[in-house]
Amino acid sequence: MNRISLTQYLVEQQRERGRIPGQLRMLIEVVARACKRIAVSVNKGPLGDVIGTAHTENVQGEVQKKLDIISNEVLIQANEWGGHLAAMASEEMDSIHVVPNRYPQGEYLLLYDPLDGSSNIDVNVSIGTIFSVLRKVGHQRGIGEDDFLQPGRFQAAAGYCVYGPQSQLVLTVGDGVAVFTLDRELGSWMLTEQNLQIPADTKEFAVNMSNHRHWAPPVKRYIDECLAGSTGPRGKDFNMRWVGSMVADVHRILCRGGVFMYPWDAREPDKPGKLRLMYEANPMAFLVEQAGGAATNGRQRLMDLMPGKLHERVAVVLGSKNEVERITQYHQEAPAAEAGPAAR
Ligand code: P6P
């Protein structure tokens, strides 16, 4: 089969649809190349000095794995010099990283989780890099954290690279979702799927069941009905999958449907959820919506949420449209006191 490369895909998309201006194409190609570099380190595992912790903590107070730091550095070094970016923000950095004055500044802002699911690194389970692209709002040189605080619907592009049995790059620029598989012999990302579509219905849910007793009633109601299966109100049996790596769980849902939940829970009532809005939830929400699915915080469309802080967290419900809508309906039907944190 005559497959096309990422570069050819981007050039043809620009020629036919005009959605990938030069700087955005450069950004996507640079990030894709950085993901190839990260894949090399991830695939080395114990053969390289990349396993284990770096004995440091990130802004979230989480112990950083060596590969978290390596991946973050790879993305910074790859993106600084090209003239396509004004600044970057990363789960692994407290504040934004502005392109140094020795390089020209571009029109875009890049946000990323350099290696999501890093708790799985040491046990050889799929992990990934998640990225989100926003446009620089002003045209002044000075860039601050506030320039990043844009709702997800303003994203120019989003994607992830999943380092699994295959390394795959999944990308949207707002015109459907395309999948590229890394051909290691060529060292190229090759188009293997486009216009991914998530089935509106599903029989598969993804959630960390060990948190069940901490959930708000609408979430308990939804999951309990799934567990009741064909003998319960849903009248059909459900299956459960939970990798504990968002990229792996979302990739499965993009490929075959399902619903993913990381809901608010009562252990830390002031925290809306575990996942980060700007560089986990928003890019995944963009991809899922572009594939015909839905993505909310249980009540509101994720991509409509106005961020207040760069590293803020959010509850996440995403995947097959009809299931996400049912979960939203259960939140709306619940008495306000039972529905978890106040709507934003
Ligand atoms: P838990 C990985 O640390 C992550 O941020 C997501 O990739 C994943 O979906 C979630 O946390 C897993 O959380 O509590 O099940 O370990």
Side-chain angles (χ1 to χ4, degrees):
M1 171 182 274
N2 179 27
R3 297 190 189 286
I4 64 170
S5 68
L6 173 65
T7 302
Q8 184 174 344
Y9 172 85
L10 296 174
V11 167
E12 290 178 353
Q13 282 291 308
Q14 170 57 12
R15 189 180 301 146
E16 291 158 19
R17 322 289 283 242
R19 298 188 69 99
I20 310 181
Q23 281 194 19
L24 181 58
R25 176 155 66 84
M26 169 89 173
L27 198 173
I28 292 169
E29 288 192 301
V30 164
V31 170
R33 200 173 306 122
C35 288
K36 276 196 291 190
R37 173 73 190 77
I38 293 169
V40 168
S41 295
V42 166
N43 292 152
K44 278 216 184 332
L47 298 176
D49 179 21
V50 295
I51 296 294
T53 67
H55 306 297
T56 51
E57 286 189 355
N58 64 16
V59 65
Q60 331 286 345
E62 294 162 339
V63 173
Q64 292 177 300
K65 299 279 189 174
K66 287 180 188 170
L67 265 174
D68 283 327
I69 295 176
I70 292 167
S71 307
N72 189 56
E73 280 306 313
V74 165
L75 282 157
I76 290 174
Q77 286 157 23
N79 279 287
E80 271 192 325
W81 49 270
H84 52 280
L85 267 191
M88 294 170 247
S90 163
E91 181 192 61
E92 301 304 332
M93 298 189 294
D94 296 9
S95 52
I96 66 171
H97 178 85
V98 180
V99 167
N101 285 328
R102 64 181 179 279
Y103 298 125
Q105 253 192 20
E107 292 307 305
Y108 293 98
L109 305 175
L110 177 66
L111 302 95
Y112 56 86
D113 181 352
L115 207 56
D116 180 73
S118 49
S119 59
N120 290 304
I121 294 172
D122 301 358
V123 293
N124 196 15
V125 168
S126 297
I127 49 184
T129 299
I130 309 172
F131 63 92
S132 169
V133 181
L134 293 169
R135 294 175 184 85
K136 185 174 80 167
V137 284
H139 293 283
Q140 71 291 357
R141 166 100 200 173
I143 290 281
E145 186 169 305
D146 291 352
D147 296 290
F148 284 79
L149 302 183
Q150 303 174 34
R153 66 177 181 275
F154 290 175
Q155 291 174 96
Y160 61 79
C161 186
V162 53
Y163 310 110
Q166 307 104 44
S167 287
Q168 291 189 313
L169 178 73
V170 181
L171 172 71
T172 186
V173 294
D175 198 13
V177 178
V179 183
F180 301 85
T181 302
L182 182 59
D183 181 325
R184 293 182 190 286
E185 289 163 298
L186 290 176
S188 301
W189 293 105
M190 304 305 289
L191 180 66
T192 46
E193 187 98 38
Q194 51 186 328
N195 300 324
L196 247 55
Q197 286 299 310
I198 301 177
D201 294 302
T202 184
K203 294 181 178 178
E204 195 161 72
F205 65 90
V207 72
N208 182 337
M209 282 300 289
S210 69
N211 302 330
H212 183 284
R213 66 189 183 283
H214 304 300
W215 295 334
V219 175
K220 284 183 185 172
R221 175 184 173 191
Y222 176 76
I223 293 296
D224 290 348
E225 288 182 358
C226 290
L227 295 175
S230 54
T231 64
R234 300 300 307 273
K236 62 181 182 178
D237 291 336
F238 281 74
N239 190 28
M240 191 199 107
R241 285 285 181 276
W242 187 249
V243 180
S245 175
M246 187 183 198
V247 173
D249 283 312
V250 172
H251 189 72
R252 185 190 58 253
I253 289 167
L254 277 169
C255 293
R256 73 182 192 206
V259 62
F260 172 101
M261 301 171 84
Y262 212 108
W264 169 89
D265 80 41
R267 283 171 294 182
E268 295 182 274
D270 297 337
K271 251 167 69 173
K274 173 179 182 180
L275 302 177
R276 290 82 175 180
L277 174 61
M278 298 304 292
Y279 40 79
E280 289 175 340
N282 270 340
M284 293 308 200
F286 195 9
L287 288 161
V288 164
E289 287 197 4
Q290 282 293 310
T296 73
N297 64 356
R299 288 186 203 74
Q300 293 166 276
R301 183 184 181 226
L302 277 175
M303 292 213 288
D304 284 341
L305 297 180
M306 188 61 203
K309 288 183 297 192
L310 188 60
H311 296 290
E312 78 180 57
R313 297 173 189 261
V314 70
V316 175
V317 177
L318 60 78
S320 293
K321 196 176 180 67
N322 293 344
E323 292 303 309
V324 173
E325 286 174 359
R326 175 184 288 268
I327 296 161
T328 304
Q329 180 195 331
Y330 289 4
H331 279 80
Q332 288 163 348
E333 288 170 356
E338 287 186 0
R344 299 169 69 86

